[in-house]
Amino acid sequence: MAGLDRASGNSAQNLRGLKALVIGLGVLIVLGTALVVGVIVKRIYDAGSAPAKVAGAKAEAPAADLRIPAAAGAAIGGIAAADGRLAVWVKDGGGGKVVLIDPRTGRLAGTVTLAPR
């Protein structure tokens, strides 16, 4: 009978340790979840405010009015970044063209057109 008492004492000790471990891990899960929610809320509120300045970043170029030479009835088909420039696809009845713009200065950097064969 003495062996059974000792075994049940170890079992109770093991259960107390297991309970403490489960409670500790539960607290860590709650704290981790609160941290993640806090970071998400902070980023949402920060996104609504003025953009943060990056160290070493250049000042923004002033806004420029830019007129792209195109035929009447032409429309912009798409815009993409290309090697530090903006590539603007101008669709018209003749197949269109791609106009390259330097975003720092707002000036036309070149035009790409299809040559008929």
Side-chain angles (χ1 to χ4, degrees):
M1 286 305 241
L4 286 175
D5 289 336
R6 205 175 317 142
S8 65
N10 284 341
S11 176
Q13 179 68 22
N14 287 342
L15 285 179
R16 260 186 274 157
L18 182 61
K19 286 180 186 177
L21 179 66
V22 168
I23 290 170
L25 291 176
V27 169
L28 285 176
I29 288 173
V30 169
L31 290 175
T33 303
L35 178 69
V36 168
V37 169
V39 168
I40 290 171
V41 168
K42 182 180 182 326
R43 288 186 181 181
I44 288 173
Y45 281 117
D46 285 347
S49 64
K53 301 249 180 187
V54 177
K58 295 180 181 177
E60 290 184 31
D65 257 347
L66 177 67
R67 296 186 184 270
I68 298 173
I76 293 177
I79 300 175
D83 195 32
R85 296 191 172 124
L86 293 177
V88 180
W89 173 33
V90 179
K91 295 190 308 184
D92 59 14
K97 62 182 172 183
V98 175
V99 178
L100 301 173
I101 301 170
D102 184 355
R104 287 179 288 276
T105 62
R107 294 186 180 168
L108 295 178
T111 303
V112 179
T113 58
L114 294 175
R117 287 186 169 203

